[in-house]
Amino acid sequence: MDDKLLVLIINDMVIFPNNEVRIEYDNIYDKQMIDIVNKIGDSLMLIVNPIEEKAVNVTSFPKYGVLGRLKLKMNVPNGKTRLVIEGIDRVELYDFTEEGNYFKANYKPVDIIENDDIQTYFNIILKTLDNYIGKVPYMGNAIMSQVDNVDTLSDLCDLIVSYLPINYEEKKKYITTIDPIERAKYLVVDMNRDLKYVELEQQIEAEVEKELNETQKEYFLREKIKLMQKELGEGNTKDSDVERITKKLNKLKCNNKVKEKIERELERYNSLNSNSPELGMIREYLEWMINLPWNKFTKDNDNLNRVKDILDSSHYALEEVKDRILEYLAVKQNTNNLRSPILCLVGPPGVGKTSLAISIAKSLGRKTAKISVGGINDEAEIVGHRRTYIGSSPGRIIQGIRKAGTTNPVFIIDEIDKMTKDIKGDPASALLEVLDPEQNNKFSDHYIEEEFDLSKVMFIATANYVEQIPYELRDRLEIINISSYTEYEKLDIAKNHLIPKELEEHGLTSLQVQMEDEAILTIIRNYTKEAGVRELERTIATLFRKIVKNILLTTDVSFYDIDNKMIEELLGKKKYLYLENYGKDEIGVVNGMAYTIFGGDILPIEATLFKGKGDLVLTGSLGEVMQESCHIALNYIKSNMDKYKIKNEVFENNDIHIHVPEGAVNKDGPSAGVTVTTTLISLFTKKKVPKTIAMTGEITLRGRVLGIGGLKEKVIGAHRAGIKTVFIPKENEKDLDEIPKEVKKDINFITVNNYNDIFKVIFQGGNK
Ligand code: ADP
């Protein structure tokens, strides 16, 4: 049997024993490479650095090489293949043979001659290293921590030389020199030589520093700037600036007015003394003017099917937005000058608003610009500062346009609902000018001063809450709501979009990792709590990161079929537990329903009684409206005591405390009215309300139940929490149409007009 090993020829790096190296495909002779990687099962190999790079044949190999192991082969996104190779030991090679495209050889261990000097050299090396690390900043301390784990001189030399900045040819001799003392001597010389360079450099810098007085220093700095500019290809004089700008101006497709303005400024620039402080300001202005995409368009992709394909392949569902884009294109093909729509995608975080906008740009073949207006309170952020203002610059719109580089990009304005208004002005009204199709072909930025045509821009704004978008803006926008995803929608998104995307980003393939649906659902249910899929995406990325690490550490497993068990092993304990963890039904605890930034959720309300004088205590950061709801609920019950068989003494001799858990989170709105009422009746009558019931609705003093908002989100959240019966106001019956089928089939909806309807079902019949 042939027990020779394959020879891996490397021509530009050295792999030392106990050293792990990543190599990308190109570093090795390709044909060798392919053979080696195909032999992944038999991962031992002999790593050899030929004596001379050219004309590799059986006689060109040195006597010594390194026994190594292929630890991992991975396809990386740039199309190359990455290998992780570990050096094991220095070995003697003999009996090379050429077999087809590759070489093989025999090997045996080398004898390291021990002698008394070894310890002395060990100490010398440590001392030299200590000195070296102190002076050579790029050596870092990483090496120090590894030195502690080394106990032979041979290993110590291998470790240090693998970090040393010496060239490949020099490094090779460290492999072929067997005697560690010889290697230690080389090492001392090489380290000291590098040290000398560094010291010399530092010395020169110190001397230059000393000799330069202030004016010289300035001169020196100026020269340095010139040098840098030259390096950047920016020329180094005013003249070359003028020349460059003039050249660019000739090619600019701007109108005459803008052209004249640039020429005027250029003349001024040219006439100024080169020490004038204005020079920099004018140059900055000119740079803006000649770099703005005046009349520079991309052509829209008019192939509707292709646009549709791109949108469908990047995003699941979201039909309304996709349709709107297709309609726009369809109409545009029939007319000549169609205004772009101004869309506003509204929905909770992570439902794909921004990424869809980016895909829209991609599908149309347009460039993208993206700004966020969240938190801005100054209109100059939108329309720029006047040039008289020190440090002035254009506003974010013009900045976005310049970055996009065309006059018709898709311009994403994030967080349009999060602007604030104060004495510095109202950014919303500035944005109005930007978005108003009647005016925006003549948009005027305070810094640029000349009009810029924004009418071809397709604006897409995003927001979390439609109510918080300034009213005047809302009027201009075409609002498209994107709501929370159900578990099954998330499952689809994960399978078709997120998992393939993350696999690729981690250099994995579906041949290495598969995820079972149950496992994905467990992540969705127990490791994320959100309306969108951002946390889900992040969690999948975490999972894959751990898998890549495992593949690297343990070469024996090359395929992962991820099931529920593995999820817990890799991601740790479940983060969110729903009804399964809420325990038994209790008196005085009833599930309400809330619509939060995480989408919908259940909101248990609890109440308790203790001896007192009839006071009502409310806790849990309740807003004013919610506090009023509690008072209304209590008074409604008081006025219907007889009907609900509650004794007056309950109110007279006790204080009542209502609490809504997660006390630090602010809660408000009238929709908890029916829940508070039910909680109190449960408390007063000592009857439990099943945990599988949830309800929402405003209550009036007469017991009427009024409609509420966000039903779809609330019901999706309740479904996620395992709720089986939901009471909703009659007024909201129409909203049931919007609720996804897979949610609707699991829930029994009871519509009510009056609180009595709830009372009857819960306390008098249907349910225990
Ligand atoms: P938002 O702007 O609504 O906060 P993002 O656009 O940042 O959300 O989306 C977060 C992530 O979730 C992105 O990586 C996006 O690709 C992904 N994502 C969200 N919705 C979908 C969907 N319907 N289909 C595919 N991926 C989605």
Side-chain angles (χ1 to χ4, degrees):
M1 207 184 78
D2 180 12
D3 52 3
K4 285 184 174 179
L5 290 183
L6 274 168
V7 171
L8 176 70
I9 301 171
I10 304 189
N11 267 315
D12 56 3
M13 61 157 49
V14 176
I15 302 180
F16 287 94
N18 304 316
N19 184 359
E20 201 174 277
V21 172
R22 279 149 203 269
I23 311 184
E24 293 210 338
Y25 231 68
D26 295 356
N27 290 11
I28 312 175
Y29 287 161
D30 284 357
K31 56 178 185 176
Q32 295 277 331
M33 167 73 227
I34 304 217
D35 290 324
I36 304 251
V37 294
N38 283 342
K39 293 226 159 206
I40 199 158
D42 174 19
S43 60
L44 284 182
M45 62 181 78
L46 297 169
I47 305 161
V48 174
N49 301 106
I51 301 170
E52 280 189 43
E53 189 177 328
K54 301 211 173 70
V56 175
N57 58 46
V58 179
T59 58
S60 63
F61 297 121
K63 193 171 166 201
Y64 298 103
V66 173
L67 176 67
R69 177 185 293 129
L70 177 61
K71 286 188 77 173
L72 178 81
K73 179 202 155 207
M74 203 161 80
N75 292 326
V76 287
N78 63 7
K80 293 187 175 176
T81 298
R82 180 177 296 161
L83 304 180
V84 177
I85 297 177
E86 179 192 20
I88 301 173
D89 211 352
R90 199 177 264 93
V91 290
E92 184 176 339
L93 312 162
Y94 62 97
D95 205 6
F96 281 97
T97 44
E98 186 163 2
E99 297 183 19
N101 283 337
Y102 48 88
F103 295 93
K104 281 188 160 186
N106 257 320
Y107 71 97
K108 58 182 176 200
V110 290
D111 292 329
I112 301 230
I113 316 125
E114 290 288 331
N115 81 30
D116 295 346
D117 292 342
I118 291 249
Q119 190 54 43
T120 317
Y121 275 95
F122 200 95
N123 293 340
I124 293 176
I125 295 285
L126 284 186
K127 229 168 119 192
T128 321
L129 179 68
D130 212 24
N131 183 26
Y132 184 76
I133 286 184
K135 298 215 172 111
V136 182
Y138 46 78
M139 266 309 250
N141 285 331
I143 188 170
M144 266 325 225
S145 56
Q146 293 184 50
V147 165
D148 293 343
N149 302 327
V150 169
D151 39 37
T152 67
L153 179 62
S154 177
D155 287 351
L156 183 65
C157 291
D158 285 343
L159 169 67
I160 298 174
V161 70
S162 69
Y163 278 89
L164 214 59
I166 54 175
N167 66 29
Y168 168 68
E169 286 300 327
E170 296 264 348
K171 265 194 184 166
K172 268 190 342 191
K173 68 174 188 269
Y174 282 89
I175 292 291
T176 48
T177 308
I178 301 305
D179 180 2
I181 292 186
E182 280 302 304
R183 271 186 274 143
K185 287 179 186 163
Y186 288 150
L187 199 55
V188 172
V189 173
D190 282 340
M191 274 202 271
N192 281 333
R193 192 178 47 221
D194 197 42
L195 212 53
K196 282 258 153 49
Y197 285 142
V198 175
E199 280 172 357
L200 196 65
E201 242 174 52
Q202 286 169 351
Q203 198 185 336
I204 294 175
E205 266 178 30
E207 278 171 17
V208 171
E209 179 93 346
K210 217 163 76 193
E211 279 176 17
L212 290 179
N213 61 26
E214 278 309 304
T215 40
Q216 275 173 319
K217 205 167 185 174
E218 196 182 319
Y219 171 77
F220 180 70
L221 288 175
R222 282 197 190 290
E223 287 305 298
K224 224 170 173 176
I225 292 173
K226 277 189 199 163
L227 237 111
M228 283 184 198
Q229 282 177 334
K230 202 167 163 193
E231 201 63 358
L232 291 168
E234 288 178 359
N236 56 0
T237 60
K238 217 171 67 180
D239 296 344
S240 69
D241 274 341
V242 174
E243 194 183 324
R244 180 174 54 85
I245 293 171
T246 316
K247 239 190 226 163
K248 216 157 175 188
L249 179 60
N250 289 336
K251 288 194 202 140
L252 225 52
K253 292 198 218 138
C254 57
N255 61 31
N256 285 340
K257 193 157 166 274
V258 173
K259 199 167 235 167
E260 279 160 23
K261 168 89 172 201
I262 299 179
E263 279 162 359
R264 264 201 319 277
E265 291 290 328
L266 197 58
E267 251 167 55
R268 225 177 107 207
Y269 180 68
N270 206 8
S271 65
L272 282 175
N273 182 314
S274 55
N275 289 329
S276 162
E278 256 186 289
L279 211 62
M281 278 160 60
I282 302 182
R283 189 177 49 223
E284 180 74 21
Y285 177 74
L286 285 166
E287 293 293 348
W288 274 103
M289 294 300 274
I290 56 167
N291 283 305
L292 277 181
W294 305 98
N295 291 316
K296 202 168 153 195
F297 297 94
T298 47
K299 193 174 159 333
D300 278 353
N301 171 9
D302 281 339
N303 181 341
L304 291 192
N305 285 322
R306 178 133 177 74
V307 171
K308 187 169 180 328
D309 284 350
I310 295 179
L311 291 177
D312 284 342
S313 68
S314 68
H315 282 78
Y316 168 90
L318 307 176
E319 300 307 337
E320 200 187 339
V321 203
K322 293 178 184 169
D323 278 350
R324 183 64 190 86
I325 297 298
L326 294 176
E327 284 165 14
Y328 160 74
L329 279 186
V331 180
K332 192 176 138 218
Q333 281 177 21
N334 273 0
T335 55
N336 269 340
N337 193 12
L338 180 67
R339 279 186 189 140
S340 299
I342 302 173
L343 303 181
C344 179
L345 308 179
V346 180
V351 291
K353 301 181 295 295
T354 317
S355 57
L356 182 69
I358 293 172
S359 292
I360 290 176
K362 201 166 132 208
S363 70
L364 294 175
R366 292 196 187 197
K367 302 273 184 215
T368 7
K370 180 166 173 282
I371 63 169
S372 170
V373 290
I376 70 170
N377 57 358
D378 182 353
E379 66 178 42
E381 295 274 1
I382 306 287
V383 291
H385 288 107
R386 297 199 183 280
R387 282 169 64 201
T388 44
Y389 189 89
I390 293 179
S392 58
S393 61
R396 296 190 189 193
I397 300 294
I398 288 292
Q399 294 187 12
I401 292 283
R402 176 171 169 183
K403 260 201 206 131
T406 57
T407 320
N408 65 336
V410 168
F411 201 119
I412 305 167
I413 306 180
D414 262 342
E415 304 197 308
I416 200 165
D417 54 342
K418 308 243 160 42
M419 289 181 291
T420 49
K421 192 180 195 172
D422 69 10
I423 42 165
K424 287 191 175 155
D426 178 6
S429 61
L431 206 51
L432 199 62
E433 256 176 63
V434 172
L435 297 178
D436 185 353
E438 302 298 329
Q439 315 181 31
N440 72 3
N441 58 342
K442 293 189 164 57
F443 171 67
S444 167
D445 181 282
H446 290 167
Y447 179 86
I448 295 295
E449 291 168 359
E450 292 301 317
E451 288 165 357
F452 193 93
D453 180 4
L454 294 176
S455 63
K456 305 291 183 300
V457 176
M458 180 185 276
F459 287 102
I460 302 186
T462 76
N464 292 135
Y465 297 104
V466 78
E467 307 79 35
Q468 290 172 13
I469 303 175
Y471 182 75
E472 63 273 31
L473 276 180
R474 215 185 310 167
D475 216 29
R476 298 284 140 93
L477 303 168
E478 203 173 313
I479 305 273
I480 299 181
N481 286 306
I482 303 183
S483 51
S484 308
Y485 295 119
T486 63
E487 285 176 359
Y488 294 97
E489 285 171 337
K490 290 183 185 176
L491 177 67
D492 264 341
I493 297 177
K495 280 167 62 175
N496 298 318
H497 299 275
L498 307 180
I499 294 178
K501 187 160 107 191
E502 291 301 325
L503 277 177
E504 195 180 331
E505 273 182 18
H506 287 81
L508 295 166
T509 67
S510 53
L511 296 176
Q512 289 169 296
V513 183
Q514 289 277 332
M515 287 189 74
E516 291 182 6
D517 285 5
E518 269 312 308
I520 305 174
L521 280 171
T522 302
I523 299 186
I524 294 170
R525 285 177 190 147
N526 300 115
Y527 290 86
T528 66
K529 181 173 182 179
E530 58 178 346
V533 293
R534 192 175 290 152
E535 205 179 340
L536 176 61
E537 185 173 14
R538 228 180 294 136
T539 313
I540 293 174
T542 310
L543 192 69
F544 289 174
R545 219 170 37 238
K546 293 190 188 274
I547 288 177
V548 172
K549 190 184 94 192
N550 282 0
I551 293 180
L552 281 172
L553 290 178
T554 48
T555 35
D556 47 332
V557 187
S558 56
F559 176 69
Y560 283 80
D561 183 17
I562 301 178
D563 57 11
N564 264 339
K565 200 167 132 258
M566 208 184 272
I567 293 283
E568 194 145 346
E569 275 167 28
L570 290 168
L571 294 179
K573 285 224 156 37
K574 291 179 174 168
K575 282 210 249 170
Y576 306 104
L577 296 164
Y578 291 99
L579 274 190
E580 56 211 73
N581 201 34
Y582 290 162
K584 293 199 212 87
D585 300 342
E586 287 169 70
I587 292 171
V589 182
V590 178
N591 290 321
M593 297 160 86
Y595 179 22
T596 68
I597 200 75
F598 304 115
D601 201 356
I602 55 166
L603 184 72
I605 294 182
E606 19 178 89
T608 170
L609 268 182
F610 42 87
K611 283 264 164 289
K613 300 190 298 283
D615 289 339
L616 178 60
V617 182
L618 304 175
T619 55
S621 310
L622 309 186
E624 221 168 277
V625 179
M626 197 150 168
Q627 294 190 17
E628 281 175 3
S629 276
C630 294
H631 286 287
I632 295 171
L634 182 61
N635 290 342
Y636 166 72
I637 297 172
K638 281 185 183 167
S639 62
N640 289 280
M641 278 188 299
D642 296 341
K643 188 157 77 181
Y644 296 146
K645 304 209 167 45
I646 298 166
K647 298 208 174 71
N648 196 22
E649 295 91 75
V650 179
F651 306 112
E652 284 176 353
N653 304 333
N654 294 296
D655 284 350
I656 299 159
H657 185 163
I658 300 176
H659 177 64
V660 187
E662 294 204 38
V665 181
N666 291 333
K667 307 166 194 86
D668 206 3
S671 67
V674 290
T675 322
V676 177
T677 314
T678 313
T679 312
L680 291 176
I681 296 181
S682 157
L683 180 72
F684 300 146
T685 60
K686 302 204 165 45
K687 287 186 180 156
K688 294 175 183 169
V689 177
K691 284 268 153 75
T692 52
I693 293 183
M695 59 191 70
T696 180
E698 175 172 354
I699 192 164
T700 70
L701 274 178
R702 301 265 176 279
R704 273 185 55 220
V705 177
L706 306 181
I708 46 88
L711 186 74
K712 180 178 172 193
E713 310 289 341
K714 288 178 175 175
V715 171
I716 291 175
H719 178 254
R720 182 170 61 197
I723 296 294
K724 301 287 179 240
T725 306
V726 173
F727 289 91
I728 61 166
K730 185 91 184 156
E731 274 177 42
N732 288 100
E733 199 170 13
K734 59 180 187 328
D735 302 331
L736 288 177
D737 291 346
E738 286 180 14
I739 294 170
K741 280 198 284 303
E742 67 265 22
V743 170
K744 235 188 314 197
K745 75 173 178 4
D746 294 337
I747 293 182
N748 173 26
F749 289 97
I750 304 177
T751 51
V752 296
N753 259 324
N754 191 288
Y755 186 76
N756 274 333
D757 304 339
I758 299 183
F759 182 81
K760 274 188 210 142
V761 178
I762 296 188
F763 297 104
Q764 289 190 320
N767 295 284
K768 284 196 290 304

